Coordinates of all heavy atoms in Angstrom, one line a residue:
S24 N -23.0 -21.3 -31.7 CA -24.3 -21.9 -31.8 C -24.4 -23.0 -32.8 O -25.2 -23.9 -32.8 CB -25.4 -20.8 -32.0 OG -25.0 -20.1 -33.1
S25 N -23.5 -22.9 -33.8 CA -23.6 -23.9 -34.9 C -23.1 -25.3 -34.5 O -23.0 -26.2 -35.3 CB -22.7 -23.4 -36.1 OG -21.4 -23.0 -35.6
G26 N -22.8 -25.4 -33.2 CA -22.4 -26.7 -32.8 C -20.9 -26.8 -32.7 O -20.3 -26.1 -31.9
D27 N -20.3 -27.7 -33.4 CA -18.8 -27.9 -33.2 C -18.0 -26.8 -33.8 O -18.5 -25.8 -34.3 CB -18.4 -29.3 -33.9 CG -19.0 -29.5 -35.3 OD1 -19.3 -28.4 -35.9 OD2 -19.2 -30.6 -35.6
G28 N -16.7 -27.0 -33.8 CA -15.8 -25.9 -34.3 C -15.2 -25.2 -33.1 O -15.7 -25.3 -32.0
V29 N -14.2 -24.5 -33.4 CA -13.5 -23.8 -32.3 C -14.2 -22.4 -32.2 O -14.4 -21.7 -33.1 CB -12.0 -23.5 -32.7 CG1 -11.3 -22.9 -31.5 CG2 -11.4 -24.9 -33.1
W30 N -14.4 -22.1 -30.9 CA -15.0 -20.8 -30.7 C -13.9 -19.8 -30.4 O -13.1 -19.9 -29.5 CB -16.0 -20.8 -29.5 CG -16.7 -19.5 -29.3 CD1 -17.4 -18.8 -30.2 CD2 -16.7 -18.8 -28.1 NE1 -17.9 -17.7 -29.7 CE2 -17.5 -17.6 -28.4 CE3 -16.2 -18.9 -26.8 CZ2 -17.8 -16.7 -27.4 CZ3 -16.5 -18.0 -25.9 CH2 -17.3 -16.8 -26.2
E31 N -13.9 -18.8 -31.3 CA -12.9 -17.7 -31.0 C -13.5 -16.6 -30.2 O -14.7 -16.4 -30.2 CB -12.3 -17.2 -32.3 CG -11.5 -18.2 -33.0 CD -11.1 -17.8 -34.4 OE1 -11.0 -16.5 -34.6 OE2 -10.8 -18.6 -35.2
M32 N -12.6 -15.9 -29.6 CA -13.2 -14.7 -28.9 C -13.9 -13.9 -29.9 O -13.4 -13.7 -31.0 CB -12.0 -13.9 -28.3 CG -11.5 -14.4 -27.0 SD -12.8 -14.2 -25.7 CE -12.7 -12.5 -25.5
P33 N -15.1 -13.4 -29.6 CA -15.8 -12.7 -30.6 C -15.0 -11.6 -31.3 O -14.3 -10.8 -30.6 CB -17.0 -12.0 -29.8 CG -16.8 -12.5 -28.4 CD -15.8 -13.5 -28.3
G34 N -14.9 -11.5 -32.6 CA -14.1 -10.6 -33.3 C -14.9 -9.4 -33.7 O -15.9 -9.1 -33.1
Q35 N -14.4 -8.7 -34.7 CA -15.1 -7.5 -35.2 C -16.5 -7.7 -35.5 O -17.4 -7.0 -35.3 CB -14.3 -6.8 -36.3 CG -13.2 -5.9 -35.9 CD -11.9 -6.6 -36.0 OE1 -11.8 -7.8 -36.0 NE2 -10.8 -5.8 -36.2
G36 N -16.7 -8.8 -36.2 CA -18.1 -9.2 -36.5 C -18.5 -10.2 -35.4 O -17.7 -10.7 -34.7
D37 N -19.8 -10.4 -35.2 CA -20.2 -11.3 -34.1 C -20.5 -12.7 -34.7 O -20.9 -13.6 -34.0 CB -21.5 -10.8 -33.4 CG -21.6 -9.3 -33.5 OD1 -20.7 -8.6 -33.1 OD2 -22.6 -8.9 -34.1
D38 N -20.3 -12.8 -36.0 CA -20.7 -14.0 -36.7 C -20.1 -15.3 -36.1 O -20.7 -16.4 -36.2 CB -20.5 -13.9 -38.2 CG -19.8 -12.7 -38.6 OD1 -19.8 -11.7 -37.7 OD2 -19.3 -12.6 -39.7
T39 N -18.9 -15.2 -35.6 CA -18.2 -16.4 -35.1 C -19.1 -17.0 -34.0 O -19.1 -18.2 -33.7 CB -16.8 -16.1 -34.5 OG1 -16.9 -14.9 -33.8 CG2 -15.8 -16.0 -35.7
L40 N -19.7 -16.1 -33.3 CA -20.4 -16.5 -32.1 C -21.9 -16.8 -32.3 O -22.5 -17.8 -31.9 CB -20.3 -15.4 -31.0 CG -20.8 -15.7 -29.6 CD1 -20.3 -17.0 -29.1 CD2 -20.4 -14.6 -28.7
F41 N -22.5 -15.9 -33.1 CA -24.0 -16.1 -33.3 C -24.2 -16.3 -34.8 O -23.6 -15.6 -35.7 CB -24.7 -14.8 -33.0 CG -24.4 -14.4 -31.6 CD1 -23.5 -13.3 -31.3 CD2 -25.0 -15.0 -30.5 CE1 -23.2 -13.0 -30.0 CE2 -24.8 -14.6 -29.2 CZ -23.9 -13.6 -28.9
S42 N -25.1 -17.2 -35.1 CA -25.6 -17.2 -36.5 C -26.8 -16.2 -36.5 O -26.6 -15.0 -36.5 CB -26.0 -18.6 -37.0 OG -26.6 -19.3 -35.9
S43 N -28.0 -16.8 -36.4 CA -29.1 -15.9 -36.3 C -29.7 -15.9 -34.9 O -30.7 -15.3 -34.6 CB -30.2 -16.2 -37.3 OG -30.6 -17.6 -37.1
D44 N -29.1 -16.7 -34.0 CA -29.6 -17.0 -32.7 C -29.3 -15.8 -31.7 O -28.4 -15.1 -31.9 CB -29.1 -18.3 -32.1 CG -29.3 -19.4 -33.1 OD1 -30.1 -19.2 -34.0 OD2 -28.6 -20.4 -32.9
A45 N -30.1 -15.8 -30.7 CA -29.9 -14.8 -29.7 C -28.8 -15.2 -28.7 O -28.3 -14.4 -27.9 CB -31.2 -14.5 -28.9
F46 N -28.5 -16.5 -28.8 CA -27.5 -17.0 -27.9 C -26.5 -17.9 -28.6 O -26.9 -18.6 -29.5 CB -28.2 -17.9 -26.8 CG -29.2 -17.1 -26.0 CD1 -30.5 -17.4 -26.3 CD2 -28.8 -16.2 -25.1 CE1 -31.5 -16.7 -25.6 CE2 -29.8 -15.5 -24.4 CZ -31.2 -15.7 -24.7
P47 N -25.3 -18.0 -28.1 CA -24.4 -19.1 -28.5 C -24.8 -20.4 -27.8 O -25.8 -20.4 -27.1 CB -23.0 -18.6 -28.0 CG -23.4 -17.8 -26.8 CD -24.7 -17.2 -27.0
F48 N -24.1 -21.4 -28.0 CA -24.3 -22.6 -27.2 C -23.9 -22.4 -25.8 O -22.8 -21.9 -25.5 CB -23.5 -23.8 -27.8 CG -23.5 -25.0 -27.0 CD1 -24.6 -25.9 -27.2 CD2 -22.6 -25.3 -26.1 CE1 -24.6 -27.1 -26.5 CE2 -22.6 -26.5 -25.4 CZ -23.7 -27.4 -25.5
I49 N -24.9 -22.6 -24.9 CA -24.6 -22.4 -23.4 C -25.1 -23.7 -22.7 O -26.2 -24.1 -22.9 CB -25.4 -21.2 -22.9 CG1 -25.0 -19.9 -23.6 CG2 -25.1 -21.1 -21.4 CD1 -25.8 -18.7 -23.2
E50 N -24.2 -24.2 -21.9 CA -24.6 -25.4 -21.1 C -24.1 -25.3 -19.7 O -22.9 -25.1 -19.5 CB -24.2 -26.7 -21.8 CG -24.8 -27.9 -21.2 CD -24.3 -29.2 -21.9 OE1 -25.0 -29.6 -22.8 OE2 -23.2 -29.7 -21.5
L51 N -24.9 -25.3 -18.8 CA -24.5 -25.3 -17.4 C -24.0 -26.7 -17.0 O -24.8 -27.7 -17.2 CB -25.6 -24.9 -16.4 CG -25.2 -24.8 -15.0 CD1 -24.4 -23.5 -14.8 CD2 -26.5 -24.7 -14.1
Q52 N -22.8 -26.9 -16.6 CA -22.2 -28.2 -16.3 C -22.4 -28.6 -14.8 O -22.7 -29.7 -14.5 CB -20.7 -28.2 -16.6 CG -20.4 -27.8 -18.0 CD -20.0 -29.0 -18.8 OE1 -18.9 -29.5 -18.6 NE2 -20.9 -29.5 -19.6
A53 N -22.2 -27.6 -13.9 CA -22.3 -27.9 -12.5 C -22.6 -26.6 -11.8 O -22.2 -25.5 -12.3 CB -21.0 -28.5 -12.0
K54 N -23.3 -26.6 -10.7 CA -23.5 -25.4 -10.0 C -23.5 -25.6 -8.5 O -23.6 -26.7 -8.0 CB -24.8 -24.8 -10.4 CG -26.0 -25.6 -10.0 CD -27.3 -24.9 -10.3 CE -28.5 -25.8 -9.9 NZ -29.8 -25.2 -10.0
A55 N -23.3 -24.5 -7.8 CA -23.3 -24.5 -6.3 C -24.0 -23.3 -5.8 O -23.4 -22.6 -5.0 CB -21.9 -24.6 -5.8
D56 N -25.1 -23.0 -6.4 CA -25.9 -21.8 -5.9 C -26.4 -22.1 -4.5 O -26.9 -23.1 -4.2 CB -27.1 -21.5 -6.8 CG -26.7 -21.2 -8.2 OD1 -25.5 -21.0 -8.5 OD2 -27.6 -21.1 -9.1
M57 N -26.2 -21.1 -3.6 CA -26.7 -21.3 -2.2 C -26.8 -20.0 -1.5 O -26.2 -19.0 -1.8 CB -25.6 -22.2 -1.5 CG -24.3 -21.4 -1.2 SD -23.0 -22.4 -0.6 CE -22.1 -22.8 -2.1
P58 N -27.7 -20.0 -0.5 CA -27.9 -18.8 0.3 C -26.5 -18.5 1.0 O -25.9 -19.4 1.5 CB -29.0 -19.1 1.3 CG -29.6 -20.3 0.8 CD -28.6 -21.1 0.0
C59 N -26.2 -17.3 1.1 CA -24.9 -17.0 1.7 C -24.9 -15.5 2.2 O -24.4 -14.6 1.5 CB -23.8 -17.2 0.7 SG -22.1 -16.7 1.1
R60 N -25.5 -15.3 3.3 CA -25.6 -13.9 3.7 C -24.3 -13.3 4.3 O -23.8 -13.8 5.3 CB -26.8 -13.8 4.7 CG -27.3 -12.4 4.9 CD -28.5 -12.5 5.8 NE -28.7 -11.2 6.5 CZ -28.9 -10.0 5.9 NH1 -29.1 -10.0 4.6 NH2 -29.0 -8.9 6.6
R61 N -23.8 -12.3 3.6 CA -22.7 -11.6 4.1 C -21.4 -12.4 4.3 O -20.5 -12.1 5.1 CB -23.0 -10.9 5.4 CG -23.9 -9.7 5.3 CD -24.3 -9.1 6.6 NE -25.3 -8.1 6.4 CZ -25.1 -6.9 6.0 NH1 -23.9 -6.4 5.8 NH2 -26.2 -6.0 5.9
R62 N -21.3 -13.6 3.7 CA -20.1 -14.4 3.9 C -19.5 -14.7 2.5 O -18.7 -15.6 2.4 CB -20.5 -15.7 4.6 CG -20.7 -15.5 6.1 CD -21.1 -16.9 6.8 NE -20.1 -17.9 6.5 CZ -19.0 -18.1 7.1 NH1 -18.6 -17.2 8.0 NH2 -18.2 -19.1 6.8
A63 N -19.8 -13.9 1.5 CA -19.3 -14.2 0.2 C -17.8 -14.3 0.2 O -17.2 -15.1 -0.5 CB -19.8 -13.2 -0.8
N64 N -17.1 -13.4 0.9 CA -15.7 -13.3 0.8 C -15.1 -14.6 1.3 O -14.0 -15.1 0.9 CB -15.1 -12.1 1.5 CG -13.7 -11.7 1.0 OD1 -13.4 -12.0 -0.1 ND2 -13.0 -11.1 1.9
V65 N -15.7 -15.2 2.3 CA -15.2 -16.4 2.9 C -15.6 -17.6 2.1 O -14.8 -18.5 1.9 CB -15.8 -16.6 4.4 CG1 -15.4 -17.9 5.0 CG2 -15.5 -15.4 5.2
E66 N -16.8 -17.6 1.5 CA -17.3 -18.8 0.8 C -16.9 -19.0 -0.6 O -16.7 -20.1 -1.1 CB -18.8 -18.9 0.9 CG -19.4 -18.8 2.3 CD -19.3 -20.2 3.1 OE1 -18.8 -21.1 2.5 OE2 -19.7 -20.2 4.2
L67 N -16.8 -17.8 -1.3 CA -16.8 -17.9 -2.8 C -15.7 -18.8 -3.3 O -15.9 -19.7 -4.1 CB -16.6 -16.4 -3.4 CG -16.4 -16.3 -4.9 CD1 -17.6 -17.0 -5.6 CD2 -16.3 -14.9 -5.3
L68 N -14.4 -18.5 -3.0 CA -13.3 -19.2 -3.7 C -13.2 -20.7 -3.2 O -13.0 -21.6 -4.0 CB -12.0 -18.5 -3.5 CG -11.8 -17.4 -4.6 CD1 -10.6 -16.6 -4.3 CD2 -11.8 -17.9 -6.0
P69 N -13.4 -20.9 -1.8 CA -13.4 -22.3 -1.4 C -14.5 -23.2 -2.1 O -14.2 -24.3 -2.6 CB -13.6 -22.3 0.1 CG -13.1 -20.9 0.5 CD -13.4 -20.0 -0.7
K70 N -15.7 -22.6 -2.3 CA -16.8 -23.3 -2.9 C -16.5 -23.5 -4.4 O -16.8 -24.5 -5.0 CB -18.1 -22.6 -2.8 CG -18.6 -22.5 -1.3 CD -19.2 -23.8 -0.9 CE -19.8 -23.7 0.5 NZ -19.4 -24.8 1.4
A71 N -15.9 -22.5 -5.0 CA -15.5 -22.6 -6.4 C -14.5 -23.7 -6.6 O -14.6 -24.5 -7.6 CB -15.0 -21.2 -6.9
Q72 N -13.5 -23.7 -5.7 CA -12.5 -24.7 -5.8 C -13.1 -26.1 -5.7 O -12.7 -27.0 -6.5 CB -11.5 -24.5 -4.7 CG -10.2 -25.2 -4.9 CD -9.1 -24.7 -4.1 OE1 -9.3 -24.3 -2.9 NE2 -7.9 -24.5 -4.6
E73 N -14.0 -26.3 -4.7 CA -14.7 -27.5 -4.5 C -15.4 -28.0 -5.8 O -15.3 -29.1 -6.2 CB -15.8 -27.3 -3.5 CG -15.7 -28.3 -2.3 CD -16.8 -27.9 -1.3 OE1 -18.0 -28.2 -1.4 OE2 -16.4 -27.1 -0.4
L74 N -16.1 -27.0 -6.4 CA -16.9 -27.3 -7.6 C -16.0 -27.7 -8.7 O -16.3 -28.7 -9.4 CB -17.6 -26.0 -8.0 CG -18.7 -26.1 -9.1 CD1 -19.9 -26.8 -8.6 CD2 -19.1 -24.7 -9.6
L75 N -14.8 -27.0 -8.9 CA -13.9 -27.4 -9.9 C -13.3 -28.8 -9.7 O -13.2 -29.6 -10.6 CB -12.8 -26.4 -10.0 CG -13.2 -25.0 -10.5 CD1 -12.0 -24.0 -10.5 CD2 -13.7 -25.1 -12.0
T76 N -13.0 -29.0 -8.4 CA -12.4 -30.4 -8.1 C -13.3 -31.5 -8.4 O -12.9 -32.5 -9.0 CB -12.0 -30.4 -6.6 OG1 -11.3 -29.2 -6.3 CG2 -11.2 -31.6 -6.3
Q77 N -14.6 -31.3 -8.1 CA -15.6 -32.3 -8.4 C -15.6 -32.6 -9.9 O -15.9 -33.7 -10.3 CB -17.0 -31.7 -8.1 CG -17.6 -32.0 -6.7 CD -18.8 -31.1 -6.5 OE1 -19.5 -30.8 -7.4 NE2 -19.0 -30.8 -5.2
E78 N -15.4 -31.6 -10.7 CA -15.4 -31.8 -12.2 C -14.1 -32.1 -12.7 O -13.8 -32.1 -13.9 CB -15.9 -30.5 -12.8 CG -17.3 -30.1 -12.4 CD -18.4 -31.1 -12.8 OE1 -18.4 -31.4 -14.0 OE2 -19.2 -31.5 -11.9
G79 N -13.1 -32.4 -11.8 CA -11.8 -32.7 -12.3 C -11.0 -31.6 -12.9 O -10.1 -31.8 -13.7

Side-chain angles (χ1 to χ4, degrees):
S24 51
S25 51
D27 45 28
V29 185
W30 185 53
E31 289 175 23
M32 278 293 287
Q35 275 101 334
D37 333 303
D38 3 342
T39 44
L40 186 52
F41 305 101
S42 39
S43 59
D44 306 344
F46 304 102
F48 173 85
I49 301 176
E50 189 178 271
L51 185 71
Q52 301 255 287
K54 65 171 177 175
D56 297 353
M57 69 188 98
C59 172
R60 200 173 150 68
R61 290 177 188 276
R62 283 181 53 79
N64 202 25
V65 177
E66 303 281 2
L67 174 59
L68 279 174
K70 293 284 185 228
Q72 196 162 39
E73 233 176 86
L74 189 72
L75 292 176
T76 311
Q77 268 168 32
E78 301 295 308

